[in-house]
Amino acid sequence: MEKVTVKDREFTPFIREDEILRQVCRVAGEINRDYDGKDPIFLCILNGSFMFAADLLRNITIPCNVSFVKLASYEGTDTTGKVKEVMGLNESIEGRHVIIVEDIVDTGFTMRDILNSLSSKGAASVAVCTMLCKPEKLQVDINLKYLAMNIPNGFIVGYGLDYDGYGRNLRDIYRIVK
Ligand code: 5GP
Ligand code: MG
């Protein structure tokens, strides 16, 4: 594998597609086992999770629903910082077993906001399935029930993840060259 230039920065090969797919299949197997007979609904967080979601769901063999949602950020008027809300969730998740599909958990603030946003919608259960996590950066206590890979700090692109809108189409994951 070669270095790539995405927009104006250089990136070096980090995780190969075949290794990603091996871990994605393992996670899918865990979900197939845990959710057999539970009719789960996967909520895939756009844009970053689209490639992970596609590969994960191709390996899900139990009956399930799949939905795609986006996050909207608001500048809170009475709170500090941004509050993210799940947009585009048209179907009811009341009484459903929800599996959130995310590309990467870094500080964990985004995932905390997603979980908060869903907490009033009456789901029977909510679990998180993330392709990647940077444990050294994690600042929030959340249970990442399904995790493909832990990675060290450093900005990455590829396999759905972007740098300024570019690089999502790369088959492998690359890390930024400092
Ligand atoms: P958090 O709220 O956990 O700090 O950040 C989560 C979001 O930041 C992810 O959903 C992702 O969009 C973005 N992010 C975090 N780390 C990276 C990275 O290394 N590369 C890219 N492309 N996005 C990242
Ligand atoms: Mg994301």
Side-chain angles (χ1 to χ4, degrees), residues 7-174:
K7 209 180 169 202
D8 53 2
R9 294 296 299 261
E10 199 177 28
F11 291 81
T12 190
F14 184 47
I15 311 171
R16 292 177 59 105
E17 180 185 28
D18 55 359
E19 174 61 12
I20 299 168
L21 290 176
R22 220 156 52 84
Q23 300 303 330
V24 171
C25 286
R26 172 185 57 78
V27 169
E30 294 171 14
I31 294 173
N32 286 329
R33 182 197 62 206
D34 294 349
Y35 285 83
D36 191 18
K38 289 189 165 174
D39 189 23
I41 178 166
F42 290 86
L43 284 193
C44 309
I45 311 296
L46 293 174
N47 295 324
S49 78
F50 79 96
M51 210 175 275
F52 172 48
D55 284 332
L56 179 77
L57 284 152
R58 268 191 281 237
N59 289 285
I60 295 296
T61 53
I62 56 172
C64 63
N65 293 141
V66 182
S67 196
F68 294 87
V69 294
K70 271 209 172 213
L71 297 182
S73 298
Y74 300 98
E75 292 288 351
T77 49
D78 51 357
T79 57
T80 53
K82 286 180 179 167
V83 180
K84 296 198 179 85
E85 203 167 308
V86 174
M87 301 286 293
L89 179 56
N90 300 318
E91 51 271 86
S92 167
I93 58 167
E94 201 174 334
R96 300 296 305 274
H97 293 285
V98 175
I99 302 169
I100 299 167
V101 179
E102 175 64 303
D103 50 2
I104 182 166
V105 174
D106 189 7
T107 62
F109 293 136
T110 302
M111 188 52 68
R112 186 193 58 189
D113 290 345
I114 294 169
L115 292 167
N116 285 343
S117 175
L118 294 178
S119 65
S120 61
K121 299 190 190 301
S125 68
V126 179
V128 176
C129 176
T130 183
M131 174 172 67
L132 300 168
C133 176
K134 294 177 185 167
E136 296 158 41
K137 296 272 293 283
L138 200 57
Q139 292 187 47
V140 178
D141 184 24
I142 40 175
N143 179 18
L144 305 178
K145 189 170 181 196
Y146 303 103
L147 169 65
M149 286 166 286
N150 275 314
I151 59 168
N153 291 346
F155 187 80
I156 57 163
V157 295
Y159 196 73
L161 290 148
D162 73 305
Y163 164 53
D164 209 7
Y166 292 91
R168 294 191 195 277
N169 53 311
L170 294 166
R171 304 183 74 112
D172 309 282
I173 293 174
Y174 294 78

